[in-house]
């Protein structure tokens, strides 16, 4: 690779870094607010909660009466010829045919009908209670969706932060390798080294350039992934906050102690248990009678045409008021109610078993999550110390290299060791934070802490 080509590549890469540095900061709080407002999954979950809220309204319970209006009109026209075969008049002449032309009849009616169920075996009452529990369950389901979305959001957000820090490390490595080329060229001109040192430096610049370009490509793709989660333009440019704070161990232990009261999976099993309990009571209402009231108020008008034997009539009923009561008791429905009650009791027992299973699994998951978090936090602390060690080693190697006491290969190895230590520390930091967030979700505190 020629010197001018190396220099052009270096300027291009550095220019790209300057573009990234001018991007607007997207803080964690801003990302959370955008996701809560715009994320598709969260918006669908909120709509489901709204549906459940409509369902638990008194308008959907059957407690209110029904009022029905009816109206009708009928028009009838007849042209008739009535014959009297064999019939004679008093004077002995045949009885003449009677022709009726345009015999019109009209009928009009309107009515209001009201029905109200006074008692239905308490089925409406328990169904209303059930719908309230269903609404609260839908809220918990929406909360679970939000928690999962927050984990997805931060897994992408922290990946951007990790790649951003890696980009800075790789850019610094490229700058050091580029300076090595200049130093090797100067040394070669004065006869202090061979052409091999220049070639080694050029190879290292090439490798560092490729690594930096690959990291920037991953960074750009991951930013688009975050824009999808936030439901905004894929071309939106931004940078993220790389600062990470960990929650104190004592506070995490308090969260773990209250996990049974806050874990969303456990709370959902309790709501399902309450719903199944009301299902039993709703089905039992089939054993009891139903008492209802009904009333009607109507108006009728009948206008009949004249016939061969009767004159036309107008019959108007201006006040037609009816009030009644009904009692229905299904004494035996073929055993359907009994089967439904038995099945609902079995479903309740199954839900109790499921609750015990979920409680055991949640307890296991919390303990596992805590162990994973502590392990990753320890790894992060070790990697921090490893960075300090490798940084010291690199500085000493740099001094020795400038004095000509070590070869370029040995210097490059110290540089690679430092590069690996820094990238491993970045990975360990964000892995530990994600493990902490997963622990917070299991304890039901993910939405109650500052990120």
């Amino acid at each position: 690779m020629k010197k001018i080509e190396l220099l052009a590549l270096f300027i291009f890469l550095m220019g790209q870094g300057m573009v990234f540095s001018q991007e607007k900061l997207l803080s964690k709080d801003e990302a959370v607010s955008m996701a809560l407002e715009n994320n598709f999954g969260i918006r669908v979950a909120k709509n489901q909660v709204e549906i459940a809220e409509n369902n638990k309204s008194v308008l959907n319970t059957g407690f209110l009466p029904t009022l029905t209006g009816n109206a009708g009109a009928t028009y009838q026209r007849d042209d008739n010829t009535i014959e009297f075969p064999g019939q004679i008049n008093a004077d002995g002449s045949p009885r003449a045919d009677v022709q009726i032309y345009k015999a019109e009849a009209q009928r009009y009616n309107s009515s209001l009908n009201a029905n109200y169920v006074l008692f239905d075996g308490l089925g409406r009452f328990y169904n209303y209670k059930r719908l309230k529990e269903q609404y609260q369950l839908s809220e918990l389901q929406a909360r679970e969706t939000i928690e999962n979305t927050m984990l997805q959001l931060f897994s992408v957000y922290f990946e951007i932060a990790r790649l951003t820090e890696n980009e800075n490390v790789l850019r610094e490595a490229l700058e050091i390798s580029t300076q090595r080329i200049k130093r090797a060229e100067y040394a070669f001109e004065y006869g202090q080294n061979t052409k091999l040192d220049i070639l080694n430096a050029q190879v290292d610049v090439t490798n560092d350039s490729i690594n930096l370009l690959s990291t920037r490509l991953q960074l750009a793709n991951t930013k688009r992934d975050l824009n999808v989660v936030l439901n905004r333009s894929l071309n939106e440019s931004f940078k993220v906050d790389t600062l990470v704070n960990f929650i104190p161990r004592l506070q995490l232990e308090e969260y773990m102690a209250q996990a049974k009261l806050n874990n969303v999976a456990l709370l959902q099993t309790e709501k399902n248990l309450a719903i199944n309990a009301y299902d039993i009571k709703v089905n039992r209402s089939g054993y009891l009678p139903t008492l209802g009231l009904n009333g009607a108020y109507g108006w009728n008008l009948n206008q009949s045409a004249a016939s061969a034997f009767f004159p036309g009539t107008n019959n108007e009923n201006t006040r037609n008021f009816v009030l009644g009561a009904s009692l229905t008791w299904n004494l035996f429905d073929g055993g359907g109610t009994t089967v439904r009650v038995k099945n609902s009791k079995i479903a309740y027992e199954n839900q109790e078993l499921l609750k015990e299973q979920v409680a055991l699994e949640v307890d296991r998951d919390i303990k596992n999550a805590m162990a994973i978090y502590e392990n990753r936090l320890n790894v992060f602390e070790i990697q921090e110390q490893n960075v300090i060690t490798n940084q010291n080693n690199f500085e000493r190697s740099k001094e020795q290299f400038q004095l000509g006491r070590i070869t370029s290969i040995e210097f490059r190895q110290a540089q690679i060791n430092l590069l690996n230590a820094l990238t491993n520390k970045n990975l360990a930091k964000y892995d530990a934070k994600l493990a902490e967030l997963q622990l917070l979700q299991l304890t039901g505190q993910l939405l109650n802490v500052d990120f």
Side-chain angles (χ1 to χ4, degrees), residues 352-418:
E352 284 185 319
L353 295 173
L354 180 60
K355 180 182 177 180
E356 294 178 6
Q357 178 185 356
V358 172
L360 185 61
E361 292 176 349
V362 167
D363 189 44
R364 175 206 61 193
D365 293 342
I366 289 176
K367 287 182 170 56
N368 289 347
M370 187 62 182
I372 293 173
Y373 169 68
E374 289 179 334
N375 179 71
R376 290 184 179 179
L377 196 59
N378 291 333
V379 170
F380 172 56
E381 294 172 353
I382 294 172
Q383 291 292 356
E384 281 187 313
Q385 185 61 44
N386 189 39
V387 167
I388 296 174
T389 303
N390 279 277
Q391 184 69 49
N392 293 333
N393 178 64
F394 175 75
E395 295 298 334
R396 290 179 61 86
S397 298
K398 185 177 181 181
E399 294 174 0
Q400 296 295 316
F401 177 67
Q402 291 174 347
L403 295 174
R405 296 177 180 175
I406 63 173
T407 64
S408 61
I409 296 177
E410 292 173 318
F411 174 74
R412 177 62 176 178
Q413 186 60 50
Q415 183 186 18
I416 291 175
N417 291 339
L418 177 59

Side-chain angles (χ1 to χ4, degrees), residues 69-344:
N70 297 300
T74 303
Y75 173 80
Q76 181 178 348
R77 170 181 164 173
D78 294 320
D79 295 331
N80 297 324
T81 300
I82 303 176
E83 298 179 353
F84 304 94
Q87 297 185 25
I88 60 176
N89 296 321
D91 59 359
S93 61
R95 185 173 179 177
D97 297 340
V98 177
Q99 291 185 345
I100 300 176
Y101 181 65
K102 291 186 179 180
E104 296 181 343
Q106 302 178 41
R107 300 180 183 87
Y108 304 95
N109 67 85
S110 63
S111 64
L112 289 175
N113 300 284
N115 292 278
Y116 183 65
V117 177
L118 292 176
F119 179 76
D120 68 342
L122 297 177
R124 292 177 304 178
F125 175 76
Y126 291 123
N127 188 56
Y128 180 57
K129 295 286 188 181
R130 183 187 184 280
L131 291 173
K132 284 186 174 181
E133 297 292 339
Q134 188 67 47
Y135 168 71
Q136 294 175 6
L137 176 61
S138 68
E139 286 187 317
L140 291 172
Q141 291 170 341
R143 174 186 151 187
E144 183 179 23
T145 299
I146 293 174
E147 289 180 355
N148 291 334
T149 303
M150 289 300 103
L151 280 181
Q152 179 189 12
L153 166 68
F154 280 108
S155 66
V156 180
Y157 188 95
F158 288 142
E159 179 64 9
I160 294 174
R162 184 184 73 85
L163 291 171
T164 300
E165 292 195 85
N166 285 354
E167 180 201 14
N168 295 332
V169 171
L170 291 170
R171 189 168 61 246
E172 292 176 1
L174 177 58
E175 185 176 357
I176 293 173
S177 297
T178 305
Q179 292 173 355
R180 273 182 54 211
I181 291 181
K182 296 179 181 179
R183 181 179 178 82
E185 289 175 344
Y186 290 146
F188 178 74
E189 291 177 1
Y190 290 100
Q192 296 178 358
N193 61 13
T194 63
K195 187 68 174 179
L196 180 62
D197 290 331
I198 299 177
L199 295 175
N200 286 335
Q202 289 178 346
V203 170
D204 293 338
V205 166
T206 301
N207 292 332
D208 291 343
S209 300
I210 292 173
N211 291 335
L212 182 55
L213 286 173
S214 298
T215 299
R216 283 180 176 162
L217 175 61
Q218 295 177 36
L219 181 58
N221 291 341
T222 310
K223 286 185 176 182
R224 280 188 281 270
D225 291 338
L226 185 59
N227 284 332
V228 170
V229 176
L230 300 179
N231 186 20
R232 62 179 189 168
S233 172
L234 298 179
N235 298 323
E236 193 75 29
S237 181
F238 61 93
K239 60 183 178 180
V240 298
D241 183 8
T242 59
L243 179 63
V244 170
N245 295 317
F246 294 98
I247 297 176
R249 171 64 183 266
L250 184 60
Q251 189 174 351
L252 288 176
E253 291 177 349
E254 292 178 358
Y255 291 157
M256 293 173 62
Q258 300 174 1
K260 291 184 179 180
L261 301 177
N262 299 313
N263 179 270
V264 68
L266 286 175
L267 294 176
Q268 287 186 62
T269 59
E270 291 177 358
K271 289 302 173 184
N272 282 321
L273 199 61
I275 290 172
N276 287 343
Y278 284 124
D279 284 339
I280 297 174
K281 295 178 179 179
V282 169
N283 289 324
R284 280 178 175 170
S285 66
Y287 291 127
L288 299 176
T290 299
L291 178 62
L293 292 177
N294 58 82
Y297 180 83
W299 170 82
N300 295 277
L301 173 62
N302 292 327
Q303 295 178 344
S304 61
S307 65
F309 305 101
F310 300 101
T313 61
N314 291 335
N315 183 8
E316 182 178 7
N317 188 345
T318 58
R319 294 183 180 179
N320 183 9
F321 181 74
V322 178
L323 180 65
S326 62
L327 176 66
T328 303
W329 197 338
N330 195 346
L331 298 177
F332 182 69
D333 63 352
T337 300
T338 301
V339 171
R340 286 190 293 271
V341 171
K342 288 182 178 180
N343 288 341
S344 59

